[in-house]
Amino acid sequence: MARIKDIVVDCARPAPLARFWVAVLEDYAIAPYTAEDLERLRAQGVEDPEDDPTVLVLPGAGGGPRLWFTKVPEAKTVKNRVHLDVAADDPGAELERLTALGARFLWETDTLTVLADPEDNEFCLLKRTA
């Protein structure tokens, strides 16, 4: 049986978007750069990790899929076909925190609030976790 290992997000600016999602998600962190990683980037003409075209975000001890933020040349033009749902113990407070981080409110129902990340990728904040 297959299992989810990675979720890949196409984007224009991987490093800032990765930092946004690390701030959103509990117990996730940007993968540290090794000397080999930095050398690989330099061989590609990338001197600063901020310009890395693929940024990896790792789950903590609680597990979960890895997130890859990958630079693509085209802009987002339509609604995502796949999106993330996030949950929090206090959805109201979490909505305030997410918008302070840069998420944009799109619309809501009785059970969820639809937001967009800084590159307009939709995601949902669930109002109930049951």
Side-chain angles (χ1 to χ4, degrees):
M1 297 294 290
R3 66 182 186 282
I4 296 175
K5 179 174 180 170
D6 296 327
I7 296 172
V8 180
V9 178
D10 291 350
C11 56
R13 299 178 59 230
L17 195 58
R19 284 192 300 273
F20 170 82
W21 280 101
V22 164
V24 167
L25 298 171
E26 181 179 358
D27 203 24
Y28 272 77
I30 293 174
Y33 286 88
T34 65
E36 293 83 19
D37 293 330
L38 295 173
E39 184 57 37
R40 174 186 49 82
L41 287 174
R42 281 191 289 277
Q44 296 173 7
V46 177
E47 296 298 323
D48 185 347
E50 183 70 16
D51 298 322
D52 187 348
T54 57
V55 176
L56 175 61
V57 172
L58 299 171
R66 302 182 315 175
L67 303 174
W68 280 99
F69 295 87
T70 303
K71 185 175 184 169
V72 296
E74 67 277 358
K76 180 180 178 296
T77 58
V78 297
K79 183 181 180 297
N80 296 13
R81 296 289 301 266
V82 175
H83 68 269
L84 301 179
D85 286 350
V86 298
D89 291 335
D90 183 346
E94 187 64 2
L95 177 59
E96 289 181 26
R97 188 182 81 83
L98 295 173
T99 55
L101 289 172
R104 187 169 49 88
F105 173 88
L106 297 177
W107 53 275
E108 66 183 333
T109 70
D110 290 341
T111 59
L112 57 86
T113 302
V114 180
L115 300 156
D117 72 15
E119 289 204 15
D120 285 329
N121 299 300
E122 297 91 1
F123 68 101
C124 295
L125 171 61
L126 303 177
K127 291 183 179 178
R128 293 180 220 127
T129 59

